[in-house]
Amino acid sequence: MGGRRRRTRRRRPALVRLNRITLANFRQHADTRVDFDAGLTGIIGPNGSGKTTILEALAWAIYGTPAARGTRESIRFTRAAPRATVRVELDFELAGHRYRVVRGLTNAELYLDGAATPIANSISGVTDILTRKIGMTREEFFNTYFTGQKDLSVMAAMKPAERAQFLSHVLGYERLRDAQRIARTHLTELRSQILGIQQGMPDAEVVGRQLDDARRRLASTGQAARAARDARERAQAAMERVRPRWELVQREREALQALVAELRGAEGEEAGLARDAERLARELGGIAQAKAERDALAVELLPYAALHAEFQHLEVLARDDGRRQSLTASRALLDDELGKLLERRAKIETAPRLEEEATLALREKRSTLDEVDGRVEARRTEWVRDRQEAETKRQALRDQYAELKQQRDRLAAAGEDGACPTCARPLKGTLRTVLELLDSQLETVLVDGNYFKGRMEQLLEMPADLREMDEARRELTDEVKALERRVFKVQHAVQELAQLGGEIAAKGDRIASLASELETIPAGYDGARHDRVRRELDRLLPLDAKATRLSAQIEREPALLRERAQLHDADAALRARVSDLRTRHAALSVSEQHFAAMRDEHARAADELRAAELTAATTESELASAEMADAQARLAAAELEERQRLLGQLAVRKHVHEELDRAYNDLRNDLNFQLRPELSELASGFLNDLTAGRYTELELDDNYNVVVLEDAVPKPVISGGEEDLANLVLRLAISQMIAERSGQPFSLLVLDEIFGSLDDAHRASVLELLRGLHDRFEQVILITHVESVRDMLDQVVTVRYDASTGASVVRRDDRPALDGDDLKAPELAAAGAAG
């Protein structure tokens, strides 16, 4: 280690320099602002006060939700209003530029160098730009700039293999393992694909035999199909020769059958004409007989028309006579009802006057009843109050008696050594006096209790004057009810009187209307004559109907004569048609024997053609099956060839992935081999600066144990402070390596509760050593709950929790507070949470 090359160190411009962070409704910070300066800055406060939350907000402002604990909604201050804004604003310098990022739950904005317009205004856009500008992922950023207490001693509790794995993970070497895992996954998939293709591949010899069999079968079925097609063509030619002669014989036979059917139809029509002629003769004979009967009836029906007219007139008179009788009965009924209404009106004409009298009497009686009722209720209230008062006083006396009795019994039992219930001194010789006084009080209470007991017995029954007043009230109530019923009856009679006037007038108008209507009905109705005319009409009515039927029959005579003439002409034409059909039938010479012979010849040709077509179809089907088998065999051969080609490609890819897996192993081994010397060199530089040259070297042995060298000689035993120092410089070396491999300077250091169980001397030593690294770290931020380190820091930010508002309160102690003693008073913090 003595000849190890030292890295030259020079001060580089700060990559990240924090200026200010503002939190609104973020976790327990309702309204907080923290300004950062160069040097050592301490954020001091008890556990749970919200110290680490400030750094969580810093990471959330840069990287968004993935950098925060819990869900997005859990970020909101618990006492904030439902729609209160969650906001973190971070002002920092980065590579010569000043950035201001403002992030909320649903929005984000990034401003550059004090511009009024943001260069990005979306959540993903702001995160992408900052990640690209910083040049680190969120994990690299935390592993570089942030160091917690558990990070300082994490390697000490690990086994050698765990230490190597931890360093590989922190420095990003695990990405090689992840890449190798992906490559091995692909290799496994390739092997599975190769195995699956090999298992599903058919045997090459079997495919060759299938292809040869399919070709032989295709040749034989092709020859049979050609022979069947030739036989079908010969049968088709024979069928073509027979078909014209068979069709001619069929047409001649169909013509003969049609002529025979037409002849039979004409003969049937001829018989029908004969039947129609006989019918017409019968109907014309009936018409002559009907004429004779109608002439005989006409003499008897001569008075029918006059009787019918007279009967219609008598029917009208009969209806008028019935209406006269109905109106007369209605008038008599109305006269009777009118008389009753006049009689009722005479009885109730005095109802209005009686209503006034009854109403006045009811009003006076109700007034008297209200007055009596008031006196009764007042007297009843007085009686009930006296009874309740007597009962209350009697119960109080009973309680007093029980208390005095208990007190006397207790004093008597205690004797002269008992204590006075008033002054608590021993009674001694005053016991008898006290007992006599208590007996006198008991006697007085007993006499008063008996008095109120008797008073209660007297008040149990209703007083006589109250009973008389209650009886008088009951009688007045009955009189009021009787007057109310009388008033109701009188009021009903008044209403009835008004209704009677309208009904009497209406009935008088109806009687006058009936009298006028009776005067318009004519007289002169003869009921006996009406009956005689009705009987005569009933006798003549069947004769008139018969005469009407005979007239209708006679009226058909001209039509029947015309029909007879038409029938004669049709008969002559039909006879000529039948003669022509018989002549044509005799001229046709088609025989049944010739037709049967042609039918058999055609059937034989058709059977031969169907057999040839069936044979051809069978051979064509076999040929198609052979062609399909040949195509399937060719397809199987092509598929076998394709699978063999794919197996070759997969084998090449499998070989590439196997070589890649070996290359990853070699690369990871080389990196791990270089890891310990590089880390040891970086840690030695930090150790030399922190100890002012006392310890110049630190190395990691083969088991990744930390070894401190003094004058190039390993120290066998190191103190607790030296161990903490070694862990600290190793953690700084890890951060330096990550930053350099990211191409970024390392200027900001955040240490969270790194003091752990260190005593005050070791804490002071660590702070002085950190101050000595000012040329490397322009800003060092310490988060701790240890109050004793305040005086050793450049700036101090105090954080405490206000239980009344549920919010954290932040204060700068190294200079005047930003807004009073605290950044925000508790009441203002609560107001900010509500907003």
Side-chain angles (χ1 to χ4, degrees):
M1 292 297 295
R4 177 183 299 164
R5 179 179 55 88
R6 293 291 185 182
R7 296 193 176 192
T8 59
R9 295 186 290 105
R10 61 184 179 89
R11 182 175 181 127
R12 291 171 291 181
L15 171 68
V16 177
R17 186 185 189 282
L18 303 180
N19 295 321
R20 182 180 63 257
I21 186 169
T22 304
L23 292 72
N25 294 320
F26 187 89
R27 302 293 189 196
Q28 68 267 44
H29 288 270
D31 190 0
T32 296
R33 170 175 168 169
V34 179
D35 291 314
F36 298 99
D37 294 327
L40 291 176
T41 300
I43 301 178
I44 302 177
N47 293 331
S49 61
K51 305 185 302 299
T52 305
T53 303
I54 297 176
L55 298 184
E56 180 187 8
L58 186 150
W60 186 69
I62 297 176
Y63 291 101
T65 302
R69 298 164 293 168
T71 62
R72 191 180 71 172
E73 285 304 320
S74 66
I75 295 176
R76 187 189 304 276
F77 178 43
T78 56
R79 298 194 185 182
R83 296 185 179 179
T85 300
V86 177
R87 185 172 180 270
V88 173
E89 179 178 348
L90 175 64
D91 187 310
F92 64 97
E93 296 176 11
L94 175 64
H97 293 279
R98 186 159 185 168
Y99 292 87
R100 183 170 65 91
V101 57
V102 180
R103 189 181 293 271
L105 292 178
T106 59
N107 64 298
E109 294 177 341
L110 179 63
Y111 299 86
L112 178 63
D113 294 334
T117 304
I119 61 174
N121 57 4
S122 67
I123 293 177
S124 59
V126 171
T127 303
D128 292 342
I129 290 177
L130 291 177
T131 302
R132 188 168 59 254
K133 292 295 183 181
I134 295 175
M136 294 183 181
T137 64
R138 177 174 59 89
E139 291 79 8
E140 291 173 341
F141 185 79
F142 273 95
N143 287 329
T144 304
Y145 294 110
F146 288 80
T147 299
Q149 177 183 357
K150 63 179 181 300
D151 296 326
L152 296 180
S153 58
V154 65
M155 293 180 61
M158 291 183 178
K159 296 179 180 179
E162 293 174 343
R163 295 191 193 105
Q165 186 175 358
F166 170 76
L167 291 174
S168 297
H169 174 73
V170 171
L171 294 173
Y173 293 168
E174 283 300 307
R175 298 176 186 174
L176 295 176
R177 187 180 299 277
D178 295 339
Q180 185 178 23
R181 188 180 301 110
I182 295 173
R184 287 181 176 177
T185 301
H186 291 168
L187 180 60
T188 302
E189 292 176 354
L190 288 172
R191 289 170 176 168
S192 299
Q193 291 179 7
I194 291 173
L195 180 61
I197 292 174
Q198 290 175 344
Q199 291 178 348
M201 281 180 58
D203 187 83
E205 295 182 0
V206 174
V207 173
R209 287 196 299 271
Q210 289 178 350
L211 187 60
D212 293 339
D213 294 343
R215 288 173 179 174
R216 287 193 297 272
R217 179 185 174 192
L218 181 61
S220 62
T221 54
Q223 183 177 0
R226 288 192 294 274
R229 283 196 291 269
D230 294 339
R232 182 179 61 187
E233 291 175 357
R234 290 193 297 272
Q236 185 69 35
M239 186 65 182
E240 293 297 332
R241 291 192 297 271
V242 174
R243 184 181 289 113
R245 292 186 290 122
W246 165 244
E247 291 177 351
L248 177 61
V249 170
Q250 280 185 314
R251 287 194 297 271
E252 290 179 350
R253 188 169 183 271
E254 290 174 355
L256 178 61
Q257 290 176 345
L259 186 60
V260 172
E262 187 176 359
L263 180 60
R264 290 175 181 173
E267 291 174 349
E269 292 180 7
E270 189 175 19
L273 290 176
R275 290 193 297 271
D276 290 340
E278 294 177 0
R279 176 180 58 78
L280 290 174
R282 288 195 303 271
E283 290 185 358
L284 289 172
I287 288 174
Q289 183 179 358
K291 288 181 178 180
E293 292 182 6
R294 187 186 64 178
D295 293 341
L297 290 174
V299 176
E300 192 171 358
L301 290 172
L302 287 176
Y304 180 76
L307 287 173
H308 187 271
E310 183 181 3
F311 180 75
Q312 295 295 329
H313 178 66
L314 289 172
E315 282 287 316
V316 173
L317 291 178
R319 286 195 296 272
D320 290 340
D321 186 66
R323 191 157 66 89
R324 179 189 297 106
Q325 293 177 4
S326 176
L327 292 175
T328 302
S330 297
R331 179 175 178 178
L333 181 61
L334 286 173
D335 289 338
D336 182 62
E337 292 178 353
L338 181 60
K340 292 180 179 178
L341 290 175
L342 292 172
E343 182 179 356
R344 175 60 179 167
R345 185 175 65 177
K347 289 181 179 180
I348 63 174
E349 282 180 343
T350 60
R353 180 178 55 80
L354 294 176
E355 181 184 11
E356 295 179 359
E357 296 175 355
T359 302
L360 180 59
L362 177 60
R363 189 179 298 113
E364 293 176 353
K365 190 63 69 178
R366 279 178 175 170
S367 176
T368 303
L369 177 60
D370 292 341
E371 181 180 355
V372 172
D373 188 63
R375 292 198 301 270
V376 170
E377 291 302 322
R379 182 67 182 91
R380 183 184 300 275
T381 301
E382 180 183 357
W383 169 53
V384 172
R385 185 174 59 250
D386 292 344
R387 187 173 62 184
Q388 291 177 348
E389 182 179 359
E391 185 176 358
T392 301
K393 290 184 177 181
R394 182 172 179 265
Q395 183 62 40
L397 290 172
R398 293 178 65 180
D399 295 339
Q400 184 180 2
Y401 182 85
E403 183 180 356
L404 292 172
K405 185 69 167 61
Q406 182 181 5
Q407 186 177 2
R408 186 192 184 287
D409 293 342
R410 187 171 59 252
L411 291 175
E416 294 183 353
D417 295 332
C420 175
T422 303
C423 62
R425 291 197 298 257
L427 293 174
K428 295 185 178 180
T430 61
L431 174 62
R432 181 173 299 278
T433 304
V434 172
L435 292 178
E436 290 176 355
L437 177 61
L438 291 175
D439 290 338
S440 176
Q441 292 177 351
L442 287 172
E443 183 66 24
T444 301
V445 170
L446 184 61
V447 172
D448 292 342
N450 291 331
Y451 166 77
F452 282 108
K453 178 180 179 182
R455 180 61 178 163
M456 285 182 58
E457 292 175 354
Q458 293 175 358
L459 294 173
L460 286 176
E461 295 184 0
M462 184 184 296
D465 60 337
L466 180 58
R467 283 199 299 272
E468 293 176 358
M469 292 169 66
D470 190 61
E471 181 64 24
R473 182 177 63 175
R474 187 184 60 76
E475 293 176 356
L476 284 172
T477 301
D478 293 341
E479 292 176 3
V480 168
K481 290 181 179 178
L483 285 173
E484 287 176 346
R485 289 193 295 271
R486 177 175 176 78
V487 169
F488 175 76
K489 290 180 180 179
V490 173
Q491 289 175 346
H492 181 70
V494 171
Q495 294 176 357
E496 185 181 2
L497 182 62
Q499 293 175 357
L500 286 175
E503 292 180 5
I504 290 172
K507 291 190 180 298
D509 294 341
R510 178 59 180 161
I511 290 173
S513 175
L514 289 177
S516 300
E517 190 175 356
L518 284 171
E519 291 177 358
T520 61
I521 297 176
Y525 172 68
D526 187 353
R529 178 59 184 168
H530 194 186
D531 291 339
R532 288 196 299 275
V533 171
R534 180 184 292 108
R535 288 195 297 273
E536 186 62 19
L537 283 177
D538 291 342
R539 186 183 68 81
L540 294 177
L541 187 61
L543 299 178
D544 180 67
K546 184 176 181 181
T548 302
R549 290 195 301 272
L550 292 173
S551 298
Q553 184 179 0
I554 294 170
E555 289 175 355
R556 294 186 67 248
E557 183 178 12
L560 291 175
L561 292 175
R562 288 192 299 273
E563 185 179 358
R564 186 173 63 179
Q566 294 173 356
L567 188 62
H568 184 270
D569 295 340
D571 183 63
L574 185 61
R575 289 179 185 276
R577 180 184 169 202
V578 169
S579 176
D580 178 63
L581 291 174
R582 287 173 179 168
T583 301
R584 289 165 56 193
H585 181 268
L588 292 175
S589 59
V590 180
S591 66
E592 288 295 328
Q593 293 79 8
H594 180 63
F595 176 78
M598 287 302 303
R599 181 180 60 195
D600 294 340
E601 184 179 358
H602 178 267
R604 285 194 298 275
D607 292 340
E608 292 175 358
L609 179 60
R610 282 194 295 273
E613 289 178 344
L614 179 60
T615 302
T618 301
T619 56
E620 291 291 343
S621 176
E622 292 176 354
L623 178 61
S625 177
E627 290 175 347
M628 183 179 296
D630 181 68
Q632 290 177 348
R634 292 176 182 273
L635 181 61
E639 183 179 357
L640 176 62
E641 183 179 356
E642 175 63 22
R643 286 177 179 263
Q644 290 173 344
R645 184 188 63 80
L646 182 59
L647 277 176
Q649 294 178 351
L650 292 176
V652 172
R653 292 175 58 191
K654 181 171 76 70
H655 178 70
V656 170
H657 279 78
E658 288 172 347
E659 292 297 325
L660 182 61
D661 182 56
R662 284 192 290 270
Y664 277 131
N665 279 331
D666 296 340
L667 178 60
R668 196 170 65 253
N669 291 333
D670 292 341
L671 289 175
N672 287 332
F673 180 78
Q674 298 173 6
L675 173 62
R676 290 186 293 107
E678 187 173 358
L679 271 178
S680 298
E681 183 178 358
L682 289 173
S684 297
F686 283 116
L687 183 62
N688 182 64
D689 292 340
L690 289 174
T691 61
R694 177 182 177 184
Y695 299 120
T696 59
E697 292 185 86
L698 179 147
E699 67 176 12
L700 296 175
D701 63 10
D702 294 339
N703 292 328
Y704 287 88
N705 294 315
V706 177
V707 179
V708 177
L709 287 83
E710 185 175 9
D711 296 329
V713 178
K715 292 190 64 174
V717 179
I718 60 175
S719 64
E722 292 170 342
E723 183 180 4
D724 291 337
L725 184 61
N727 288 331
L728 176 60
V729 298
L730 179 60
R731 186 63 181 86
L732 294 176
I734 294 172
S735 299
Q736 179 72 37
M737 184 179 291
I738 294 174
E740 290 183 352
R741 293 190 178 186
S742 300
Q744 306 293 346
F746 188 30
S747 61
L748 171 66
L749 183 61
V750 181
L751 304 174
D752 187 5
E753 297 288 2
I754 63 166
F755 295 121
S757 59
L758 296 179
D759 56 23
D760 291 340
H762 283 130
R763 292 170 186 165
S765 177
V766 170
L767 286 175
E768 287 301 322
L769 294 174
L770 289 175
R771 189 180 300 279
L773 293 177
H774 183 67
D775 61 334
R776 291 177 182 247
F777 306 109
E778 183 177 349
Q779 284 183 316
V780 177
I781 300 174
L782 294 171
I783 302 175
T784 182
H785 66 278
V786 179
E787 293 285 342
S788 61
V789 299
R790 284 179 175 272
D791 296 336
M792 291 177 282
L793 300 173
D794 297 327
Q795 300 91 28
V796 176
V797 177
T798 301
V799 183
R800 64 180 179 84
Y801 177 73
D802 188 348
S804 62
T805 62
S808 296
V809 179
V810 179
R811 183 181 70 245
R812 283 286 296 264
D813 290 345
D814 55 311
R815 59 182 179 180
L818 296 179
D819 290 317
D821 292 337
D822 294 333
L823 288 181
K824 290 291 181 179
E827 58 271 20
L828 294 181

